Amino acid sequence: MRNASCLIAAFVLVMFTVSAASGAFIDITRPGDPIEVENGFNQSDGDAGPPPAAEGVENAINDIGQKYLNFLDLSSGFRVTPSANPGNLPVTGLRLYTANDSEVRDPASFQLLGSNDSINGPWDAIASGNLALPEGRNEGGNTVAIPPAGNLGAFHQEVTFENELPYDHYRLVFPTLKDAAAANSMQIAEVELLVVPEPSSLALLGLGMLTLVGLRRKN
């Protein structure tokens, strides 16, 4: 009887842990995932070239604070094929981290789209809305680490939305900036595409344990 009680207690602890973990967002992108720049258009300023070599689009998902900057700023962004979504779960949130300078360049709105055809679409609309990134700046380079579970100590904004459809490819664009007239570019340190992980298969194992305990007590 004592052994059975211990097993039940262990199962309850496992289930509590799994349940708590399943409510935490995780990022489905990883450094090196296929990613393409999404160019927009500038607002009559003199800077319209490609992103600087050290501030390319790959920095949007490189898990550190080094930023992505685009001079073709309004409606700029990126397209990406995430590699870390084995459960094929729907994206229901974004986490955006501020870059190291020039707050006026921060995105002020977003549009997220998805495709199951290719990284070039065609696209289905998923979510859109306004943004209010914090004034605080994150250091650039590799000073700030941003792992898949996030870095809640870094300056960021998290947005959530309803979505029940998973996609293989995502397109994120930023139609507006905090102050487009004063900005010559769009910049963002990191973007996380967020899913809520499903409960672990440990839950099934735990149910099996309870069944064995019940049969043992019956015998």
PDB file of all heavy atoms in Angstrom, residues 14-27:
ATOM      1  N   VAL A  14       4.469  14.689 -11.291  1.00  0.00           N
ATOM      2  CA  VAL A  14       4.817  14.744 -12.704  1.00  0.00           C
ATOM      3  C   VAL A  14       3.751  15.498 -13.486  1.00  0.00           C
ATOM      4  O   VAL A  14       4.050  16.365 -14.311  1.00  0.00           O
ATOM      5  CB  VAL A  14       5.004  13.324 -13.281  1.00  0.00           C
ATOM      6  CG1 VAL A  14       5.051  13.365 -14.806  1.00  0.00           C
ATOM      7  CG2 VAL A  14       6.274  12.699 -12.734  1.00  0.00           C
ATOM      8  N   MET A  15       2.488  15.193 -13.218  1.00  0.00           N
ATOM      9  CA  MET A  15       1.410  15.837 -13.939  1.00  0.00           C
ATOM     10  C   MET A  15       1.370  17.331 -13.658  1.00  0.00           C
ATOM     11  O   MET A  15       1.123  18.145 -14.549  1.00  0.00           O
ATOM     12  CB  MET A  15       0.058  15.200 -13.563  1.00  0.00           C
ATOM     13  CG  MET A  15      -0.132  13.803 -14.147  1.00  0.00           C
ATOM     14  SD  MET A  15      -0.070  13.801 -15.954  1.00  0.00           S
ATOM     15  CE  MET A  15      -1.525  14.749 -16.341  1.00  0.00           C
ATOM     16  N   PHE A  16       1.622  17.721 -12.410  1.00  0.00           N
ATOM     17  CA  PHE A  16       1.651  19.139 -12.061  1.00  0.00           C
ATOM     18  C   PHE A  16       2.771  19.848 -12.809  1.00  0.00           C
ATOM     19  O   PHE A  16       2.585  20.925 -13.352  1.00  0.00           O
ATOM     20  CB  PHE A  16       1.845  19.303 -10.551  1.00  0.00           C
ATOM     21  CG  PHE A  16       1.952  20.748 -10.118  1.00  0.00           C
ATOM     22  CD1 PHE A  16       0.804  21.501  -9.931  1.00  0.00           C
ATOM     23  CD2 PHE A  16       3.181  21.332  -9.898  1.00  0.00           C
ATOM     24  CE1 PHE A  16       0.884  22.830  -9.540  1.00  0.00           C
ATOM     25  CE2 PHE A  16       3.274  22.655  -9.519  1.00  0.00           C
ATOM     26  CZ  PHE A  16       2.125  23.402  -9.324  1.00  0.00           C
ATOM     27  N   THR A  17       3.936  19.209 -12.857  1.00  0.00           N
ATOM     28  CA  THR A  17       5.081  19.805 -13.550  1.00  0.00           C
ATOM     29  C   THR A  17       4.801  19.947 -15.027  1.00  0.00           C
ATOM     30  O   THR A  17       5.081  20.982 -15.640  1.00  0.00           O
ATOM     31  CB  THR A  17       6.339  18.946 -13.331  1.00  0.00           C
ATOM     32  OG1 THR A  17       6.577  18.827 -11.932  1.00  0.00           O
ATOM     33  CG2 THR A  17       7.545  19.578 -14.006  1.00  0.00           C
ATOM     34  N   VAL A  18       4.249  18.892 -15.648  1.00  0.00           N
ATOM     35  CA  VAL A  18       3.939  18.916 -17.072  1.00  0.00           C
ATOM     36  C   VAL A  18       2.909  19.989 -17.370  1.00  0.00           C
ATOM     37  O   VAL A  18       3.017  20.741 -18.332  1.00  0.00           O
ATOM     38  CB  VAL A  18       3.443  17.537 -17.536  1.00  0.00           C
ATOM     39  CG1 VAL A  18       2.845  17.617 -18.938  1.00  0.00           C
ATOM     40  CG2 VAL A  18       4.580  16.530 -17.492  1.00  0.00           C
ATOM     41  N   SER A  19       1.880  20.082 -16.518  1.00  0.00           N
ATOM     42  CA  SER A  19       0.830  21.061 -16.720  1.00  0.00           C
ATOM     43  C   SER A  19       1.375  22.473 -16.661  1.00  0.00           C
ATOM     44  O   SER A  19       1.042  23.340 -17.470  1.00  0.00           O
ATOM     45  CB  SER A  19      -0.273  20.878 -15.681  1.00  0.00           C
ATOM     46  OG  SER A  19      -1.259  21.868 -15.819  1.00  0.00           O
ATOM     47  N   ALA A  20       2.245  22.728 -15.696  1.00  0.00           N
ATOM     48  CA  ALA A  20       2.830  24.062 -15.569  1.00  0.00           C
ATOM     49  C   ALA A  20       3.696  24.396 -16.771  1.00  0.00           C
ATOM     50  O   ALA A  20       3.648  25.504 -17.300  1.00  0.00           O
ATOM     51  CB  ALA A  20       3.655  24.140 -14.286  1.00  0.00           C
ATOM     52  N   ALA A  21       4.471  23.411 -17.213  1.00  0.00           N
ATOM     53  CA  ALA A  21       5.366  23.648 -18.341  1.00  0.00           C
ATOM     54  C   ALA A  21       4.584  23.888 -19.625  1.00  0.00           C
ATOM     55  O   ALA A  21       5.005  24.649 -20.486  1.00  0.00           O
ATOM     56  CB  ALA A  21       6.321  22.468 -18.517  1.00  0.00           C
ATOM     57  N   SER A  22       3.422  23.242 -19.772  1.00  0.00           N
ATOM     58  CA  SER A  22       2.672  23.340 -21.013  1.00  0.00           C
ATOM     59  C   SER A  22       2.087  24.729 -21.215  1.00  0.00           C
ATOM     60  O   SER A  22       1.683  25.075 -22.314  1.00  0.00           O
ATOM     61  CB  SER A  22       1.549  22.296 -21.040  1.00  0.00           C
ATOM     62  OG  SER A  22       0.575  22.599 -20.064  1.00  0.00           O
ATOM     63  N   GLY A  23       2.040  25.558 -20.178  1.00  0.00           N
ATOM     64  CA  GLY A  23       1.518  26.898 -20.316  1.00  0.00           C
ATOM     65  C   GLY A  23       2.575  27.909 -20.696  1.00  0.00           C
ATOM     66  O   GLY A  23       2.268  29.083 -20.868  1.00  0.00           O
ATOM     67  N   ALA A  24       3.822  27.497 -20.849  1.00  0.00           N
ATOM     68  CA  ALA A  24       4.916  28.414 -21.150  1.00  0.00           C
ATOM     69  C   ALA A  24       5.165  28.449 -22.649  1.00  0.00           C
ATOM     70  O   ALA A  24       5.218  27.415 -23.306  1.00  0.00           O
ATOM     71  CB  ALA A  24       6.173  27.977 -20.411  1.00  0.00           C
ATOM     72  N   PHE A  25       5.329  29.655 -23.185  1.00  0.00           N
ATOM     73  CA  PHE A  25       5.632  29.792 -24.601  1.00  0.00           C
ATOM     74  C   PHE A  25       7.054  29.341 -24.901  1.00  0.00           C
ATOM     75  O   PHE A  25       7.964  29.503 -24.087  1.00  0.00           O
ATOM     76  CB  PHE A  25       5.511  31.260 -25.021  1.00  0.00           C
ATOM     77  CG  PHE A  25       4.102  31.712 -25.278  1.00  0.00           C
ATOM     78  CD1 PHE A  25       3.558  32.762 -24.561  1.00  0.00           C
ATOM     79  CD2 PHE A  25       3.334  31.111 -26.256  1.00  0.00           C
ATOM     80  CE1 PHE A  25       2.273  33.200 -24.813  1.00  0.00           C
ATOM     81  CE2 PHE A  25       2.038  31.538 -26.514  1.00  0.00           C
ATOM     82  CZ  PHE A  25       1.510  32.586 -25.788  1.00  0.00           C
ATOM     83  N   ILE A  26       7.251  28.794 -26.095  1.00  0.00           N
ATOM     84  CA  ILE A  26       8.595  28.527 -26.605  1.00  0.00           C
ATOM     85  C   ILE A  26       8.676  29.027 -28.043  1.00  0.00           C
ATOM     86  O   ILE A  26       7.681  29.054 -28.768  1.00  0.00           O
ATOM     87  CB  ILE A  26       8.975  27.033 -26.547  1.00  0.00           C
ATOM     88  CG1 ILE A  26       8.000  26.174 -27.357  1.00  0.00           C
ATOM     89  CG2 ILE A  26       9.067  26.548 -25.120  1.00  0.00           C
ATOM     90  CD1 ILE A  26       8.478  24.756 -27.556  1.00  0.00           C
ATOM     91  N   ASP A  27       9.873  29.449 -28.431  1.00  0.00           N
ATOM     92  CA  ASP A  27      10.132  29.952 -29.775  1.00  0.00           C
ATOM     93  C   ASP A  27      10.396  28.783 -30.719  1.00  0.00           C
ATOM     94  O   ASP A  27      11.145  27.856 -30.378  1.00  0.00           O
ATOM     95  CB  ASP A  27      11.341  30.889 -29.712  1.00  0.00           C
ATOM     96  CG  ASP A  27      11.720  31.452 -31.061  1.00  0.00           C
ATOM     97  OD1 ASP A  27      10.847  31.513 -31.948  1.00  0.00           O
ATOM     98  OD2 ASP A  27      12.889  31.834 -31.228  1.00  0.00           O
TER      99      ASP A  27
END
